[in-house]
Amino acid sequence: GAKQMTVQLLRADVLAEWLLQQRSSDPTQNDHKRLVIIDVRDEDVFGGSIAGSVNVPSTCFSTQLPSLLKRYADYDHVIFHCMHSQVRGPACAGRYALMMHASSTTNVHILRGGFARWVALYGKDPALVQDVSRQVWEHAFEEMSPLRRHALLNSEDEDDEDDEEEDDDDDDEDDSQDSSDDDASSS
């Protein structure tokens, strides 16, 4: 069927639940959900990552794709994300889904809100993030407008799918926030 062509949006709280389930269950029982999280951020991969995720920069995704398809062929879930999951994550997820074997039962997902939302929600939970630089994220969070911050933390529960368009002005490419005023807010 056309099932394998679809890429689903995955809410952060659902993925968090899966990861915690995996941690707590007996490894021999763990074949109920085999999943891999593929982080396609490029040079903006600083400041930490989702626990257990694999970084495959979007710039070299095409060359890596055949080996990824082979390595994760029998996985239940392959989850893609970038910083905001607006440009690179969806593009890579789409290409992966397109190249999957027709008989594949793998579900391909895009993590909603990307790493930015993940770290805003779970940045202090060592079971869900690794190598998080607190300064980077607290700084980024403080720089955000209160409205944006509210949206980031709260757009999780309501299922209106159209909130992805809210901020297409930061379209994932130029995420270099100028850190020149770094010492201003660190007091």
Side-chain angles (χ1 to χ4, degrees):
K3 172 182 167 294
Q4 74 275 7
M5 305 310 277
T6 62
V7 175
Q8 301 152 323
L9 269 177
L10 182 64
R11 295 210 329 252
D13 57 331
V14 176
L15 179 57
E17 207 172 294
W18 289 355
L19 289 178
L20 293 170
Q21 260 169 17
Q22 256 191 350
R23 286 300 131 73
S24 61
S25 64
D26 167 359
T28 58
Q29 306 290 298
N30 216 1
D31 46 18
H32 62 284
K33 250 190 207 66
R34 287 194 76 190
L35 60 95
V36 62
I37 300 163
I38 299 177
D39 178 353
V40 297
R41 286 178 297 164
D42 301 280
E43 63 288 347
D44 56 338
V45 74
F46 67 89
S49 57
I50 298 179
S53 62
V54 180
N55 181 231
V56 181
S58 69
T59 45
C60 50
F61 185 75
S62 307
T63 50
Q64 303 264 10
L65 186 53
S67 67
L68 292 173
L69 286 161
K70 221 175 262 135
R71 188 176 320 148
Y72 302 120
D74 58 341
Y75 276 53
D76 301 312
H77 302 279
V78 178
I79 299 125
F80 288 87
H81 77 87
C82 51
M83 189 60 91
H84 299 286
S85 287
Q86 285 180 335
V87 180
R88 295 165 295 177
C92 294
R95 247 181 300 169
Y96 187 96
L98 208 61
M99 301 303 292
M100 276 191 332
H101 196 276
S103 63
S104 173
T105 57
T106 304
N107 295 292
V108 181
H109 305 273
I110 298 161
L111 175 63
R112 205 165 149 187
F115 186 67
R117 181 179 289 163
W118 185 269
V119 90
L121 292 165
Y122 307 117
K124 293 185 170 70
D125 188 338
L128 295 175
V129 288
Q130 57 197 21
D131 309 322
V132 165
S133 143
R134 286 276 294 279
Q135 301 91 307
V136 171
W137 288 104
E138 280 169 7
H139 182 68
F141 208 55
E142 280 158 18
E143 299 297 286
M144 250 179 227
S145 69
L147 200 69
R148 179 94 183 79
R149 199 180 304 176
H150 178 83
L152 192 70
L153 289 171
N154 296 294
S155 49
E156 213 44 85
D157 334 309
E158 54 257 17
D159 264 328
D160 48 355
E161 295 304 320
D162 49 53
D163 71 335
E164 297 301 330
E165 278 84 59
E166 60 179 2
D167 48 9
D168 41 4
D169 49 348
D170 62 27
D171 57 310
D172 234 13
E173 288 314 316
D174 43 32
D175 260 349
S176 49
Q177 61 267 72
D178 48 276
S179 46
S180 50
D181 55 5
D182 223 316
D183 39 15
S185 61
S186 58
S187 52

